[in-house]
Amino acid sequence: MTARSEPTTAGREPTTAGREPTPAASMPTTPAQRPTPLGPEPGTPAAEQERPRSGPAPVLPAEPASAYEALWQDGELQPWTPAAIRLWEQEDGDDVEVVHHLAIAHHARAYDLEAAHDDAAFAHFEKALRHWATLCGEPEFWRRMHERLDEAMGAPVPDAIVAEVRTRLPYDLLEPHVTLAARLRLTDPGRARRHVRLVTGSAFPDAIVAEARDGLVRDLLDGVPAAVAEGRFAETIDVLESWLLLDPDHHGLLHALLLTGRSWIERLREQPYAQRRTEELLDRVDALVRTGLPRSAAPGGELAKELARHECLLALRAFGALGAVRPSPDALGSPSEVEQARHRGRRAARHVDRALELYPELGEDPRCTEVTELRNEGLPRFLAWLDAVEAQFLLTAFGIGDRELSRARLLLDAAGTYAAADPGLEEFVRSLENLLSLRQV
């Protein structure tokens, strides 16, 4: 039913009864349509033959009387011609016959251009798929198609056969783009991506589009768990990335990328001196995920869980806990360093909150116990210590006034809310309270 598989004569447009193009050998012509002779008319006097003519220019070929006539070129019927497409586009756009002819013509033209690696093919593919999507949902088109099949077969065609053709047509139309995308993925990724966009941007039902996209990477995704178990992390991520460049928001690819990246990071964290590699890998995975999955998206299922685990890793990195040594307030030597640490702590808290939005049962996941501890104890204690350290910088500075003392008071009150859970912090806050009393005198 596509431009390459119509149930009609090969290379020929289907037509309705009574609208067949006239064979070239018997096409009628009018005097205005008759080609101008290359030489003089027989019987013309020699003197008149030699006299230069100053009459009108030779008559140009007339516009075809119909789009069907325009399909004839050099005595052969073509699947499309520019004139035929132009004339059909001038007709009633609601006529299913016209839409059908345009679908076939644009598809045939697109394949000709694709064979020549001409980018103009994509505009015609888009038009063809749009027309086909219209026809797939048009009962009148299928009624007429059933009638034509009955005539062609010389006997009634069962309804089930027509229904099967109608069901399979969208898949048959999208499958060539899936095949071309897979073939061009490494040699011409830009062109491959445009073929994937033809699939994702088509007007066919979402379930059909999703199945076509899944078919493109099904074998790859089926092999990811084994690759992860065998420790083939680098090559797996390279291949996943090459596919994500074609289909950036494919949930299956994103889930596989997150799973592979997290598994590799967990392995790297067990190795000494691997913090830099770990953070570079996390950045790489995160960049691909952010490109394909905007923050406003709401993924579900296993993708949401794996994305939550990814947010946990981002929280640990923001907090500074991906390395062997966790951050300590004792290492902060200036108010600006305190502010930077506070910013990292708040960013870590946002990642944890995002993880819980995606996966509310995160606390029950044994792979995220570290982040659960970070959320419940690590971050609150760290931020409380930052408040106390900042208060210390204020209270030990020269020339402070009432404004700085008021700020120190607020910071100590905030730190005091957690002091009871940390004896060291409680003692530190008590000493700063005494210092504040002295400075207020």
Side-chain angles (χ1 to χ4, degrees):
M1 296 285 293
T2 65
R4 301 301 187 192
S5 60
E6 277 293 310
T8 60
T9 305
R12 179 172 178 174
E13 194 84 27
T15 58
T16 55
R19 300 180 69 182
E20 290 285 343
T22 307
S26 61
M27 291 179 68
T29 58
T30 64
Q33 295 171 319
R34 199 170 291 120
T36 303
L38 297 178
E41 291 282 349
T44 303
E48 185 174 341
Q49 293 178 25
E50 297 174 357
R51 186 169 61 247
R53 299 186 178 185
S54 59
V59 178
L60 297 175
E63 177 79 1
S66 69
Y68 304 97
E69 281 192 15
L71 291 175
W72 285 95
Q73 285 190 344
D74 299 326
E76 294 185 0
L77 190 63
Q78 307 297 323
W80 69 273
T81 64
I85 291 178
R86 184 180 70 253
L87 291 169
W88 271 316
E89 287 179 341
Q90 293 172 0
E91 296 189 33
D92 182 5
D94 294 329
D95 186 337
V96 294
E97 292 288 341
V98 172
V99 176
H100 189 201
H101 289 307
L102 282 172
I104 294 173
H106 279 297
H107 232 150
R109 187 171 191 180
Y111 278 114
D112 288 344
L113 292 166
E114 177 66 29
H117 301 285
D118 191 328
D119 286 349
F122 293 101
H124 292 284
F125 275 129
E126 288 176 3
K127 291 179 181 179
L129 291 173
R130 184 169 64 249
H131 290 314
W132 283 119
T134 298
L135 293 170
C136 284
E138 180 54 61
E140 177 62 16
F141 169 73
W142 293 102
R143 185 189 66 76
R144 297 188 189 187
M145 183 58 65
H146 199 163
E147 291 178 353
R148 290 179 185 173
L149 290 173
D150 288 345
E151 294 174 3
M153 299 299 294
V157 175
D159 293 344
I161 292 180
V162 178
E164 183 179 354
V165 172
R166 184 174 185 176
T167 299
R168 286 300 317 166
L169 181 57
Y171 298 98
D172 293 339
L173 291 165
L174 295 179
E175 191 277 334
H177 301 292
V178 171
T179 301
L180 285 167
R183 183 185 305 163
L184 298 170
R185 175 176 62 92
L186 298 178
T187 58
D188 193 348
R191 195 171 193 84
R193 182 171 185 172
R194 295 185 73 175
H195 278 289
V196 173
R197 286 177 176 173
L198 288 171
V199 175
T200 59
S202 68
F204 294 115
D206 292 343
I208 293 174
V209 172
E211 186 171 343
R213 294 170 73 186
D214 289 346
L216 187 63
V217 294
R218 184 171 290 113
D219 291 343
L220 167 66
L221 297 182
D222 288 345
V224 167
V228 169
E230 295 167 9
R232 293 185 281 115
F233 303 117
E235 63 179 270
T236 302
I237 287 183
D238 286 344
V239 173
L240 289 168
E241 182 175 13
S242 71
W243 284 105
L244 280 165
L245 291 176
L246 308 187
D247 196 357
D249 59 349
H250 189 286
H251 281 198
L253 289 172
L254 290 170
H255 176 265
L257 174 71
L258 290 165
L259 170 66
T260 307
R262 175 181 57 78
S263 300
W264 195 4
I265 288 172
E266 290 172 353
R267 182 80 60 87
L268 288 173
R269 291 187 69 192
E270 298 173 357
Q271 302 174 7
Y273 312 112
Q275 182 174 353
R276 181 175 178 180
R277 289 181 63 197
T278 300
E279 295 196 356
E280 288 175 349
L281 174 59
L282 186 58
D283 285 337
R284 180 184 179 187
V285 171
D286 191 61
L288 288 168
V289 170
R290 299 305 168 195
T291 298
L293 196 63
R295 299 183 70 85
S296 58
E302 292 302 313
L303 175 58
K305 294 179 182 179
E306 204 58 62
L307 187 59
R309 297 178 190 119
H310 175 71
E311 292 286 347
C312 290
L313 291 174
L314 292 173
L316 291 172
R317 198 264 294 275
F319 183 58
L322 273 181
V325 180
R326 286 176 173 262
S328 171
D330 296 337
L332 303 175
S334 68
S336 62
E337 290 181 358
V338 170
E339 186 55 35
Q340 291 173 10
R342 194 189 306 279
H343 178 71
R344 292 195 301 270
R346 289 170 177 168
R347 187 165 69 247
R350 288 195 297 271
H351 284 302
V352 173
D353 289 342
R354 172 66 173 157
L356 288 169
E357 290 175 8
L358 291 162
Y359 186 15
E361 295 79 20
L362 181 67
E364 303 171 10
D365 190 330
R367 286 162 290 192
C368 298
T369 54
E370 189 176 9
V371 174
T372 303
E373 185 277 330
L374 177 66
R375 174 177 178 266
N376 295 335
E377 298 180 22
L379 276 172
R381 182 174 62 183
F382 184 69
L383 292 173
W385 271 98
L386 292 181
D387 289 336
V389 171
E390 184 179 350
Q392 180 188 39
F393 283 130
L394 287 172
L395 294 172
T396 56
F398 292 103
I400 63 171
D402 292 340
R403 180 179 178 181
E404 288 77 14
L405 293 174
S406 296
R407 170 67 177 165
R409 175 75 271 168
L410 292 174
L411 290 167
L412 290 175
D413 288 344
T417 61
Y418 193 82
D422 185 338
L425 177 60
E426 184 176 26
E427 182 179 353
F428 184 42
V429 169
R430 188 179 302 116
S431 66
L432 292 175
E433 293 275 7
N434 293 335
L435 181 57
L436 175 61
S437 300
L438 293 174
R439 295 302 299 260
Q440 287 177 330
V441 173

